[in-house]
């Protein structure tokens, strides 16, 4: 780990979560993995791959389960974006998706110590994957993750986390009285999920809440356009909007 006075190293690795069944997206997801469904002419996951490549990320791990053979067939080795893509195949190896923390735990051997994490079905085309913010995270070894939060959407009015005056995530509302929704963008250290046995289904939420209690999670609000695309109607509406 870098000392407080040593230059922080860039984050060159990312994990894109793409293993879920996408039940609410049926019938579209009966035939196509949700992250491969197109928005403005290209698969949702490709928006992330392009943005990661622009930000200087070099290696991406994509976890798969539902219709998983379609994802490497569509994305290949990543060279068309200047990336190297590795696949963590939960369906083949464990019979199905392992949930978020379980999926990260299985992929740990493929990941760097610090990495970007994003869900493949989130559409936020202007999210910057900011190199300076990533370097600041690397330079804070006590932090296990840094989360981006958004204003609460209609389908999640209670939100997930607050933000303290010190920039740390809170399990309850912050001093501004607000709780925000986790945007499914994060910087993360492998240690957060290292205790999850490989092959065990495990949600990420309990791990985040435990680390929040220990003051090990940073957070900030993302002010840009953000869409959690859950249903065919939401996908169609987004696709009709301006790119």
């Amino acid at each position: 780990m870098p000392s407080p006075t040593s230059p922080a190293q860039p984050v060159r690795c990312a994990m894109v979560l793409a293993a879920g069944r996408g039940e609410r997206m049926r019938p579209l997801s009966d035939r196509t993995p949700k992250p491969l469904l197109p928005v403005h002419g290209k698969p949702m996951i490709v928006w992330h791959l392009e943005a990661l490549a622009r930000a200087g990320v070099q290696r991406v791990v994509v976890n798969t389960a539902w219709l998983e053979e379609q994802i490497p067939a569509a994305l290949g080795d990543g060279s068309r974006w200047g990336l190297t893509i590795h696949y963590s195949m939960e369906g083949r190896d464990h019979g199905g998706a392992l949930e978020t923390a379980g999926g990260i735990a299985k992929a740990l051997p493929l990941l760097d110590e610090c990495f970007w994490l994003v869900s493949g079905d989130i559409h936020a085309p202007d999210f910057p994957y900011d190199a300076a913010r990533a370097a600041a995270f690397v330079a804070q070894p006590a932090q296990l993750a840094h989360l981006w939060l958004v204003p609460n959407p209609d389908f999640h009015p209670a939100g997930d986390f607050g933000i303290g005056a010190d920039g740390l995530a809170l399990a309850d509302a912050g001093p501004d009285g607000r709780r925000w929704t986790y945007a499914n963008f994060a910087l993360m250290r492998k240690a957060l999920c290292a205790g999850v046995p490989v092959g065990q289904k495990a949600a990420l939420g309990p791990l985040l809440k435990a680390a929040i209690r220990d003051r090990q999670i940073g957070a900030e609000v993302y002010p840009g356009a953000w869409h959690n695309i859950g249903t065919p109607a939401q996908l169609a509406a987004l696709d009709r909007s301006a790119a």
Side-chain angles (χ1 to χ4, degrees):
M1 294 292 184
S3 70
T5 58
S6 66
Q9 298 301 308
V11 174
R12 301 296 194 196
C13 180
M15 182 169 183
V16 182
L17 301 170
R21 172 65 178 83
E23 289 287 350
R24 293 192 304 136
M25 192 59 79
R26 299 182 70 181
L28 299 181
S29 59
D30 289 341
R31 302 180 300 274
T32 304
K34 188 178 174 184
L36 292 184
L37 294 172
V39 173
H40 299 308
K42 57 190 170 188
M44 287 189 267
I45 194 171
V46 169
W47 289 90
H48 295 303
L49 297 178
E50 291 176 345
L52 288 164
R54 287 194 301 269
V57 170
Q58 298 170 345
R59 297 174 53 253
V60 176
V61 178
V62 179
N63 70 331
T64 62
W66 174 249
L67 301 174
E68 67 183 351
E69 70 284 350
Q70 293 188 28
I71 294 179
L75 305 180
D77 62 3
S79 58
R80 77 190 80 169
W81 301 287
L83 300 167
T84 298
I85 297 180
H86 304 277
Y87 297 96
S88 179
M89 304 190 79
E90 298 170 21
R92 180 194 66 189
D93 296 342
H94 303 287
L98 298 175
E99 302 186 39
T100 302
I104 296 169
K106 174 179 170 57
L108 287 181
L110 301 171
L111 295 166
D112 292 347
E113 177 58 33
C114 295
F115 57 95
W116 288 99
L117 180 72
V118 60
S119 292
D121 57 357
I122 295 297
H123 187 65
D126 299 322
F127 187 82
Y129 295 101
D130 182 72
R133 190 69 201 78
F137 174 74
V138 173
Q140 295 177 296
Q143 282 200 8
L144 295 180
H146 185 86
L147 311 180
W148 276 263
L149 311 178
V150 293
N152 299 330
D154 293 342
F155 61 83
H156 192 53
D160 297 308
F161 307 115
I163 304 176
D166 54 4
L168 295 178
L170 301 172
D172 298 310
D176 58 0
R178 298 188 66 174
R179 286 165 57 103
W180 307 79
T181 291
Y182 173 44
N184 289 295
F185 287 98
L187 285 158
M188 191 168 291
R189 281 188 161 81
K190 294 169 73 170
L192 183 65
C193 295
V196 178
V198 173
Q200 177 177 301
K201 291 184 178 182
L204 184 60
L207 298 181
L208 289 175
K209 290 175 182 176
I212 285 171
R213 288 195 296 270
D214 291 337
R215 299 177 56 78
Q216 293 177 299
I217 305 291
E220 64 183 89
V221 174
Y222 174 61
W226 178 88
H227 302 273
N228 185 333
I229 309 167
T231 67
Q234 290 172 334
L235 179 62
L238 180 60
D239 209 34
R240 289 192 299 268
S241 66

